[in-house]
Amino acid sequence: MAKKDPTDLSVEERLKTLFQLQQALSAIDEKKALRGELPLEVEDLEAEIEGLNTRVERIQAEMEEFERAISQKKGEIEDAKSNVERYKRQLDEVRNNREYDTLSKEIEYQSLEIELCNKKINEAQHRIAEKQDELQSNKSVLEEKLADLDLKKSELDEIMEETRAEEDKLKEKAHELETKIEPRLLTSFKRIRKNARNGLGIVYVQRDACGGCFNKIPPQRQLDIKMHKKVIVCEYCGRILIDPELAGVKTEKPVVEEKKTTRRRAAGTGATVRKSSNSKKATDANDMI
């Protein structure tokens, strides 16, 4: 049998299929709601862990940079010491005061270079110690966050395992229903549903009001909805409207009106009885006269 084209469906069939799709999607939303804030918590933890890993890598890179600087300064110290030793040997071979003064200044300069390098090494070692404490602190926090993430993921997996089978069936049903709906109408429905706070894109009339925003619907518009001649949306919230009968919802009869009618009849009967009684009294009085 050839598959029916969605555009060939009547308005009534389109609305009914659309409402069935809404029920399936709402059921999927309920399954997702069972997970609570766990998915968001997992995402937040993953983002936080990624940030901590980046911070740890940055601290380690800074420590390596300080280590390289220390190695470089130690090399410069060795060179300076070697120069000092060479200049001291040359002092024994000087021929005049000018050469002696020049070598003395070079020895003094190299000695200052050694002191400066030692100072830089001490500063770098101090920074490395600070970075080591910072690294240890971040690693401790990272371990805690990883433990929390494992716990949250296990909880989420457990919940998803319980609802996965039902959710897959609902998704399959929703996909099947979507193929029966005209693409333009389906796109509009999805857009309405996305903007709706409760995820309802199509609702039925409840007590003469929209089932989504609960604003009153004029009688003539309610009649148009029951006629199923065209797709009608709520003028307040934009949701698609259908009548309860098409949605498969039974509406109660206005019992209050029946009670009022019964009371009116009882009141009318009482008035007739009183009238008859008064007429009888008047007749008896005439007879007595």
Side-chain angles (χ1 to χ4, degrees):
M1 184 178 178
K3 190 175 180 180
K4 196 171 183 180
D5 192 337
T7 56
D8 294 336
L9 295 175
S10 64
V11 174
E12 182 176 348
E13 289 174 324
R14 293 179 191 177
L15 292 173
K16 193 171 183 178
T17 306
L18 203 58
F19 188 75
Q20 290 173 351
L21 175 61
Q22 176 65 75
Q23 288 178 313
L25 293 175
S26 294
I28 293 172
D29 290 341
E30 288 178 7
K31 300 297 180 186
K32 290 180 178 179
L34 291 175
R35 303 168 195 168
E37 298 294 327
L38 277 175
L40 293 176
E41 290 177 7
V42 168
E43 288 180 9
D44 290 342
L45 280 170
E46 288 176 341
E48 197 169 350
I49 287 169
E50 185 178 353
L52 284 168
N53 281 324
T54 303
R55 194 178 308 165
V56 166
E57 291 174 0
R58 178 177 55 79
I59 293 171
Q60 289 175 335
E62 290 175 354
M63 290 174 65
E64 290 173 1
E65 186 68 27
F66 286 128
E67 292 288 352
R68 284 194 294 270
I70 290 173
S71 297
Q72 181 182 348
K73 293 302 177 184
K74 284 182 177 180
E76 291 177 5
I77 289 173
E78 292 299 322
D79 291 340
K81 285 181 177 180
S82 178
N83 290 333
V84 168
E85 292 297 325
R86 181 164 54 86
Y87 293 144
K88 283 181 178 180
R89 286 194 302 270
Q90 290 178 1
L91 283 175
D92 297 332
E93 301 174 1
V94 295
R95 288 170 294 184
N96 52 51
N97 290 335
R98 183 178 178 184
E99 289 181 0
Y100 182 85
D101 291 338
T102 302
L103 289 172
S104 297
K105 287 181 180 179
E106 285 295 334
I107 291 171
E108 185 180 357
Y109 174 76
Q110 294 299 325
S111 298
L112 289 174
E113 281 293 317
I114 292 170
E115 290 180 9
L116 182 60
C117 287
N118 282 325
K119 183 180 178 182
K120 293 290 186 182
I121 288 172
N122 290 332
E123 289 176 356
Q125 288 174 339
H126 180 67
R127 292 301 307 275
I128 288 173
E130 290 179 347
K131 292 295 178 182
Q132 188 67 45
D133 293 339
E134 187 180 352
L135 180 64
Q136 191 60 40
S137 176
N138 279 278
K139 281 186 174 180
S140 298
V141 175
L142 181 59
E143 289 175 2
E144 292 177 4
K145 295 299 180 183
L146 286 170
D148 289 343
L149 180 62
D150 289 339
L151 181 61
K152 296 292 184 184
K153 276 188 172 182
S154 63
E155 291 178 8
L156 182 60
D157 290 340
E158 186 178 348
I159 294 172
M160 290 183 68
E161 189 64 32
E162 293 175 358
T163 60
R164 183 175 286 111
E166 296 179 18
E167 192 172 333
D168 288 343
K169 288 181 181 179
L170 288 168
K171 285 181 179 179
E172 186 178 348
K173 180 181 179 182
H175 179 70
E176 183 181 349
L177 289 167
E178 286 180 356
T179 59
K180 298 179 181 179
I181 301 171
E182 183 185 357
R184 185 174 58 84
L185 179 60
L186 180 62
T187 302
S188 300
F189 166 74
K190 287 183 176 180
R191 185 181 66 252
I192 296 169
R193 187 172 181 272
K194 183 180 180 181
N195 295 329
R197 186 173 58 182
N198 52 8
L200 296 177
I202 180 169
V203 294
Y204 59 87
V205 179
Q206 301 180 38
R207 296 180 180 179
D208 302 330
C210 170
C213 63
F214 305 108
N215 281 296
K216 286 291 182 181
I217 301 173
Q220 180 58 46
R221 200 164 185 81
Q222 290 187 48
L223 183 61
D224 293 338
I225 293 169
K226 290 180 180 179
M227 294 294 291
H228 310 145
K229 295 295 183 182
K230 60 181 179 178
V231 177
I232 297 176
V233 298
C234 175
E235 59 185 5
Y236 298 100
C237 65
R239 292 180 175 89
I240 300 171
L241 297 170
I242 61 171
D243 64 287
E245 184 180 350
L246 189 61
V249 178
K250 293 183 179 179
T251 55
E252 297 180 357
K253 293 181 179 180
V255 181
V256 178
E257 292 296 328
E258 292 181 0
K259 289 182 178 179
K260 286 182 179 179
T261 306
T262 305
R263 282 200 295 271
R264 289 195 192 100
R265 289 176 181 173
T269 305
T272 306
V273 171
R274 284 195 297 274
K275 185 176 180 181
S276 300
S277 177
N278 291 336
S279 299
K280 185 177 180 182
K281 288 180 180 179
T283 305
D284 292 342
N286 289 332
D287 292 340
M288 290 175 66
I289 295 171

